[in-house]
Amino acid sequence: MLSHEPGDTLGHRLDPRTKLAVQAVVAAVALAHATPRWLLALTVVCLLALRGCGLSVPAALAEYRGVLPFLLVAPLLGALRLGPPWVDPAAAIDPLLSVYRTLLLLALAAAYVHTTPPRDSRAAVAWLLPGTVGRYCALGVSLVFRFLPLLQSDLRRLRAASWVRLGDERRVDRRVAHLAIGALARAFRRADALALALRARCLSWNPTPPALAFEWRDYAVLCVAAGIVAAAALSLTTR
Amino acid sequence: MSTDTEGVALVADEAVANVVRAALFAALTGVLSYVSFQLPVSPVPYTLQVLGVFLAGVFLGPTWGFASLALYVVAGAVGAPVYAYGASGVGQLFSPWGGYLWSYPFAAGLLGYVAHGRDGLTPTGEIPLWRLAAGLGGATVVIYAFGTVGYAVFAGVGLGAAVLAAAVPFVPGEILKGVVAALAARSDRLRAA
């Protein structure tokens, strides 16, 4: 599963806001210019980013092996025709470029997740989103990170208990309802206990976040990102 | 976020409970996306992710249902492995299935609004069945409208092909998830929670 790995690469030392900005820039440019030339240029950016984060291309894509087969559906459907000649390879080019664009974005996302601890992500969210919305999201994101493994183990235990009682021989709707209701009951119990504990500890909207500060390397990366945006905008206006 | 050393803005008691429930439903939606099941009528393996959206709408209502799924989207974007098959990252929001992710907060909000109305939460066991059915139907339409358009835009295919790839194979699974959400709303075990 995709998760943060401690390290000392350039990616680990960059500010999370810089990494989010680079992802946003690459996504925007890739959406605006899904042409082979631009995608090639963005491939170089992504390869450099992966190298800077100490992640190989196969390792980054392996994180998404569950979703990769679904990407192949688009070019296949794009090429199919409902009448003769039935298959039109030229029509698969646009979906293929879109799929390639998605692969680039997924690789960058893997690099971000690999190098950024949840605590830094929380601080970046609070900085990026203004006011109470940002504070709510920051607090909620940290709770999601913390409770995801607990709810996963709850669900695993529920499924194991169901299997040993031959639950997998029941009808699928009863099986799913049993799982959903059990998972909900446990989630409610955990929520009530956690809410009580947080009230007892005087939960506040303004906790002390980890210090986020741009350094020279952040400015350098942001300058490159700004350069890419400027080139993309220039290309749009002269098109 | 600047560090505020002048005072402490405590979260009100009711808000604590709501924030915690919203976060736990966001996490639960993430956990349900790991669970897949097979229906005899279709070769597609269904995940239970959308069931999390339905449950958030039914149990949290319009405001906190929307807030919970917004949290799900933000948490996944910054690295929590909550999207389908444990994926995460900003890139997912612009992938062919990104339209579904954008739709979840709106679907949960709409379902909550139809099921509970504007004035506070109705106890889930007392929500009229027609309201539940209308809310679940509306939420499903929102999810597939966003999902299909997202697929067409981000995968670069026509709208017809997008409907075939991103909507038609999944309809039987959504019906089952709707039924399960309605059963959960009527469950005595959850009424006590």
Side-chain angles (χ1 to χ4, degrees):
Chain A
M1 185 199 300
L2 201 52
S3 62
H4 168 244
E5 297 281 341
D8 194 32
T9 64
L10 173 65
H12 285 88
R13 280 176 279 158
L14 282 176
D15 189 285
R17 293 168 293 179
T18 306
K19 289 181 270 187
L20 286 172
V22 169
Q23 286 187 78
V25 162
V26 171
V29 173
L31 284 171
H33 294 286
T35 59
R37 209 164 50 124
W38 271 98
L39 291 179
L40 193 67
L42 293 177
T43 304
V44 175
V45 173
C46 289
L47 287 175
L48 287 174
L50 286 177
R51 194 176 168 81
C53 295
L55 206 59
S56 69
V57 175
L61 293 180
E63 302 288 0
Y64 295 105
R65 57 188 170 276
V67 295
L68 291 181
F70 292 102
L71 282 176
L72 296 175
V73 176
L76 289 176
L77 267 179
L80 285 180
R81 287 285 167 272
L82 288 175
W86 302 104
V87 177
D88 177 9
I93 292 175
D94 279 347
L96 262 178
L97 290 175
S98 302
V99 164
Y100 187 70
R101 172 181 71 198
T102 305
L103 285 178
L104 293 181
L105 299 181
L106 291 182
L108 270 189
Y112 174 87
V113 176
H114 182 73
T115 55
T116 315
R119 196 167 135 78
D120 281 5
S121 287
R122 176 191 175 169
V125 167
W127 185 86
L128 285 169
L129 300 173
T132 314
V133 174
R135 289 171 178 189
Y136 159 73
C137 284
L139 175 59
V141 164
S142 64
L143 290 177
V144 169
F145 270 106
R146 194 170 300 173
F147 277 86
L148 196 66
L150 289 177
L151 295 182
Q152 262 171 342
S153 69
D154 279 352
L155 206 67
R156 215 174 293 128
R157 272 203 295 276
L158 269 170
R159 295 190 94 180
S162 178
W163 281 331
V164 295
R165 292 172 179 82
L166 298 180
D168 52 339
E169 291 182 12
R170 297 174 85 187
R171 249 174 41 197
V172 66
D173 56 332
R174 295 200 180 152
R175 228 160 57 209
V176 175
H178 172 75
L179 196 70
I181 291 170
L184 264 181
R186 285 168 190 237
F188 275 128
R189 267 211 306 275
R190 284 193 185 281
D192 290 344
L194 177 66
L196 185 67
L198 289 178
R199 279 201 293 264
R201 290 181 182 195
C202 302
L203 179 69
S204 78
W205 285 120
N206 51 350
T208 307
L212 293 181
F214 287 122
E215 292 181 30
W216 63 268
R217 57 179 83 91
D218 293 293
Y219 290 116
V221 171
L222 288 172
C223 280
V224 172
I228 295 171
V229 171
L234 204 66
S235 164
L236 265 185
T237 52
T238 55
R239 195 186 270 179
Chain B
M1 184 166 69
S2 58
T3 305
D4 183 359
T5 52
E6 295 299 313
V8 176
L10 289 181
V11 184
D13 281 359
E14 198 185 338
V16 173
N18 283 327
V19 169
V20 167
R21 283 193 172 198
L24 261 80
F25 267 84
L28 185 65
T29 307
V31 171
L32 288 174
S33 68
Y34 288 81
V35 183
S36 66
F37 64 94
Q38 200 83 40
L39 282 183
V41 293
S42 167
V44 180
Y46 297 98
T47 68
L48 290 180
Q49 197 177 15
V50 171
L51 180 59
V53 180
F54 289 164
L55 295 174
V58 170
F59 284 89
L60 301 182
T63 310
W64 287 102
F66 177 91
S68 173
L69 269 297
L71 205 53
Y72 167 83
V73 174
V74 173
V78 297
V82 289
Y83 295 156
Y85 302 100
S88 58
V90 177
Q92 295 277 334
L93 298 174
F94 304 102
S95 66
W97 46 90
Y100 291 104
L101 299 173
W102 291 107
S103 77
Y104 290 160
F106 300 101
L110 177 71
L111 170 54
Y113 181 77
V114 175
H116 294 275
R118 217 180 300 175
D119 312 317
L121 287 185
T122 313
T124 50
E126 294 168 20
I127 300 172
L129 200 59
W130 70 268
R131 272 179 173 271
L132 263 182
L136 288 165
T140 308
V141 169
V142 168
I143 289 171
Y144 281 94
F146 274 66
T148 308
V149 172
Y151 195 89
V153 171
F154 295 132
V157 296
L159 211 54
V163 171
L164 273 181
V168 171
F170 300 100
V171 170
E174 300 317 320
I175 295 169
L176 174 73
K177 288 173 218 170
V179 170
V180 170
L183 285 174
R186 291 275 187 275
S187 162
D188 289 333
R189 193 173 160 199
L190 292 176
R191 211 169 296 175

